[in-house]
Amino acid sequence: MIGFRPLVQLFALWVSLFASGALSAFGYTTSGSNYVIDAGSANPLIFTVSQSNCDIRSIKYRGTELQYGSTGTHINSGLGSATVSMNQISGSSKYIKVTCVTSTLTHYMVVREGESIIYMATYITAQPSIGELRFIARLLPNQLPGEHPYGEVSNTNGATSTVEGSDVFIVNGQTRSKFYSSTRFIDKDSQCVFGGSDLIHVCVMTPQQESSSGGPFFRDIESNNAGASTNLYNYMNSGHAQTEAYRMGLHGPYLMQFSRSGIPSVKTADISWFGEVGVTGFVPRSGRGIITGTASGVQSGMQGVVHWFNSAAQYWAKTASNGAFTSPPMKPGTYTMVLYQTEFKIATSTVSVSAGGTTNANIAGSVGPANRKTLWMIGEYDGQPTGFRNADKILRMHPSDSRMSSWGPLTYNVGSSLNDFPMAVFQSVNNPVTIKFNLNSAPGAATLRIATTLSFTGSRPRANVNGWDGPAPGAPNKIDSRGVTRGTYRGHGEVYEVSVPAGRLVAGQNTITITSISGSSGDTFLSPNFIFDAVELFTV
């Protein structure tokens, strides 16, 4: 006969199992105009999808509602209407697949039995009319107030004023924006929101961005506690500092994982089975090829990066210390192949990939001319404003933030701290920047090279050398969006060279001014501006 205490213990265990959802059953049902999907996981995930527009209307994890009530979780700002279907598939595991179809877009949501993960992929034949392709999970801030990996920089809850547009605000005396949550594609791992007494993390991970645009150094919004909702994103195509055309086809797979055991990593995400569920545009590993080779010419101490792209796909890989590299599995085709030292382009070639094949392709680069004699150099050719004043802050705050050092106008004495040189010249704030230096003797003709990373509203540098005006360069390739004020420094990376005639540089003290010029205008930090990568004076 079972005693009273064991019965109580058994009852408590049953209540615990019921509350945690350990008795959850894999499958789906219909409730009104919604599908209800149960992942059958030990930490139960049950979510509801609208049959009319594909919105996720409810997300319950371990019995707790996480979905924001007023607006759904969806693609773009919601599909409006869609043909939504549901089916269960058996393969190496059991799957439930939701398929949402519009005239130009098919969105998939897949659950694998026993996992608290929603796998997704989005196939497009045209860019959405709102101008960007994104997944956005709108979640409850009382349950998930925190953001990872950058914390409060993108938390705009409690904003007291607006700094710029409708996306940069003041909170507790600091500038905040959803744009300050970004990570370079090449560095991305998990982007998460979190909270609760048992510390739930909800994380979005993208194993590869082959159909997105922008290349390895592109960055975009990842998360934002906006007060009414905490928003978690996967941006696939956007006009935020856009440098190349959008790519169509299949974006993904990507996944939203619910965790009570810490922050998951994209490195452990398993999508090898995704070909079993019938997704348009998915190319399995057997239909791909790889590229191996060795990169040379990257300056010591800098990271080599190899980038492959065409109109259909993009890929990248970091080089090993000896220059060796192996690409990710790539779709067949012919690609432009670029070598960067950190983010500065030093070589370009072409290469072809075939299904199931391995192509060997070496690439060699340099910053020329090889026989140049450097008189002085400010910064390094790394495609970044590294070391310059405020460069250490610009990714996570607005240029007007009180934590920024003074922008100037500044006078820089060659050889002094890089922090005395501004990372950017804003036409209405710190224009021009002045460079002073001494030469032991007059060098004759010389070249002044000004490497930049990003231009706004046509800004480009014009140099004056000891009173001699260099030519006004033509306008750079236009990027039709804000950049530096949204926490990015990456654009087309224009490099300007000024041929300084003999007799303009003298023995003793010399002065060069670099001025932002543009046919446009603007106020303060939205005035025409450009970002420095490096400035070099050399002879050959």
Side-chain angles (χ1 to χ4, degrees), residues 198-425:
D198 56 354
L199 197 57
I200 293 170
H201 283 85
V202 181
C203 302
V204 165
M205 291 172 281
T206 306
Q208 47 81 12
Q209 293 89 7
E210 69 179 358
S211 297
S212 294
S213 62
F217 314 122
F218 185 74
R219 57 177 69 239
D220 217 325
I221 301 164
E222 296 183 3
S223 63
N224 172 221
N225 182 335
S229 61
T230 299
N231 304 321
L232 185 60
Y233 300 85
N234 178 33
Y235 265 85
M236 292 165 272
N237 275 340
S238 84
H240 304 152
Q242 181 187 356
T243 57
E244 61 176 345
Y246 298 130
R247 292 182 173 89
M248 301 299 106
L250 185 69
H251 293 258
Y254 53 99
L255 54 143
M256 182 165 63
Q257 181 167 344
F258 300 77
S259 172
R260 286 186 63 244
S261 55
I263 299 168
S265 173
V266 71
K267 296 176 183 178
T268 61
D270 176 19
I271 56 170
S272 61
W273 51 269
F274 209 72
E276 300 178 18
V277 297
V279 170
T280 300
F282 181 76
V283 179
R285 177 63 182 86
S286 60
R288 297 169 178 264
I290 62 172
I291 300 172
T292 62
T294 300
S296 58
V298 176
Q299 182 177 318
S300 177
M302 292 196 189
Q303 176 64 62
V305 176
V306 186
H307 174 205
W308 300 270
F309 64 92
N310 58 24
S311 62
Q314 59 174 4
Y315 307 93
W316 43 80
K318 293 180 179 180
T319 62
S321 58
N322 64 354
F325 61 83
T326 300
S327 75
M330 298 167 59
K331 295 178 183 178
T334 298
Y335 292 84
T336 298
M337 179 176 175
V338 177
L339 174 62
Y340 303 92
Q341 57 178 30
T342 307
E343 295 187 24
F344 187 80
K345 184 191 298 186
I346 60 171
T348 303
S349 64
T350 58
V351 63
S352 294
V353 176
S354 59
T358 298
T359 301
N360 184 263
N362 298 328
I363 187 167
S366 64
V367 179
N371 63 337
R372 76 188 191 277
K373 177 184 177 182
T374 299
L375 301 178
W376 51 257
M377 187 167 177
I378 305 169
E380 296 191 78
Y381 296 118
D382 59 4
Q384 302 174 339
T386 309
F388 296 149
R389 179 171 294 189
N390 293 322
D392 60 332
K393 305 179 185 72
I394 203 65
L395 294 177
R396 311 297 167 207
M397 64 184 76
H398 191 270
S400 66
D401 196 289
S402 61
R403 293 168 291 174
M404 290 281 183
S405 300
S406 171
W407 288 98
L410 297 177
T411 296
Y412 178 77
N413 293 297
V414 169
S416 60
S417 169
L418 285 183
N419 190 53
D420 294 332
F421 192 84
M423 65 159 286
V425 175

Side-chain angles (χ1 to χ4, degrees), residues 44-65:
L45 172 65
I46 301 172
F47 63 101
T48 300
V49 178
S50 167
Q51 295 177 355
S52 62
N53 64 12
C54 197
D55 273 14
I56 296 178
R57 293 176 168 172
S58 171
I59 302 173
K60 290 186 177 179
Y61 180 62
R62 290 179 50 81
T64 298
E65 181 63 61

